[in-house]
Amino acid sequence: KKEHCTKPVLPAKMAEYLLQTLKKKLKKRGASGVMGISRNFRVMDSSGDGKLDEEEFGILLDRCRLRLSEREKQTLFDYFDRSHDGLVDLSEFLEGVREPMNAKRQKFVDLAFGLMDKDGSGELTIDELAGHFDASQDERVKRGQKTEQEVLREFLSTFEANGDKDGKVTKEEWNSYYSSLSASIDRDDYFELMMRNTWHISGGSGAAANSTNRRVLVTGSDG
């Protein structure tokens, strides 16, 4: 790592503005935005310590085609260099650019995982996911932004973003994917509907009511 000289702290408003700009650019790309930058971060991390120096960080932003000026890249680097040691930590960086899910959305993410994890192992196989995942219910497919195959490929490749192609999905990887996807969906009821329809979770009301599960009208013998 190259030596790093202490720099004057830039105005907080400037750093916050750039951070919001970065979030908007990543949001437009859905789950592939944050996960893509996470994947490239690991590629740039030649030392494998989960940290990048200023030069590596700048190359990372360029690789993700974020079109930031040198001054903007430096501003973001200084913002994320929380310990002032000339390095940006991956976990802190992702925490900064990814909006956390609220409790309501996390509830459905946990519910879907639990339905899939029938043996309670805390892991899902990618083959199991591919067999149950209904890409047609993705909001980006409905808006015509992506095809079902594109969403399915993105969905499966996301869980092997760190290069560990073990064919399994942990709860952490599952939450990471939906945290990234959640950032691209504005309304809670749309997110709930997507989760219900994608994983066939019955129930819901109003705009969030499940519309993919089979409905059966049963008439009792007494009429």
Side-chain angles (χ1 to χ4, degrees), residues 104 107-108 189 192-193 196-197 201-211 213 215:
K104 182 176 182 179
K107 168 189 171 182
F108 285 100
D189 53 357
E192 178 182 343
L193 178 62
R196 286 188 180 279
N197 284 353
I201 301 172
S202 62
S205 60
N210 175 287
S211 59
N213 286 11
R215 286 169 166 73

Side-chain angles (χ1 to χ4, degrees), residues 27 34 97-99 105 178-186:
K27 181 177 180 179
V34 175
V97 300
R98 184 172 60 200
E99 298 288 352
R105 297 189 182 197
Y178 277 110
S179 291
S180 300
L181 183 58
S182 173
S184 68
I185 300 176
D186 294 325

Side-chain angles (χ1 to χ4, degrees), residues 83-133:
S83 58
H84 304 292
D85 61 353
L87 299 169
V88 169
D89 180 82
L90 172 60
S91 59
E92 291 181 352
F93 176 63
L94 292 180
E95 183 179 346
V97 300
R98 184 172 60 200
E99 298 288 352
M101 285 188 292
N102 59 35
K104 182 176 182 179
R105 297 189 182 197
Q106 186 66 58
K107 168 189 171 182
F108 285 100
V109 171
D110 292 342
L111 177 59
F113 188 91
L115 291 174
M116 297 288 291
D117 184 23
K118 298 184 183 302
D119 61 0
S121 66
E123 293 182 335
L124 308 174
T125 68
I126 287 182
D127 288 339
E128 287 176 336
L129 292 178
H132 290 83
F133 184 71

Side-chain angles (χ1 to χ4, degrees), residues 34-77:
V34 175
M35 297 308 297
I37 205 168
S38 172
R39 185 182 298 110
N40 279 297
F41 193 110
R42 292 185 172 92
V43 171
M44 292 303 305
D45 180 19
S46 57
S47 62
D49 61 357
K51 299 180 180 181
L52 300 183
D53 63 25
E54 185 174 344
E55 181 179 0
E56 293 169 332
F57 185 77
I59 296 174
L60 164 69
L61 298 178
D62 289 339
R63 288 185 61 147
C64 293
R65 303 188 303 279
L66 295 174
R67 299 178 181 177
L68 300 175
S69 68
E70 292 302 317
R71 183 185 180 191
E72 289 172 333
K73 287 186 285 188
Q74 179 182 316
T75 300
L76 284 173
F77 179 83

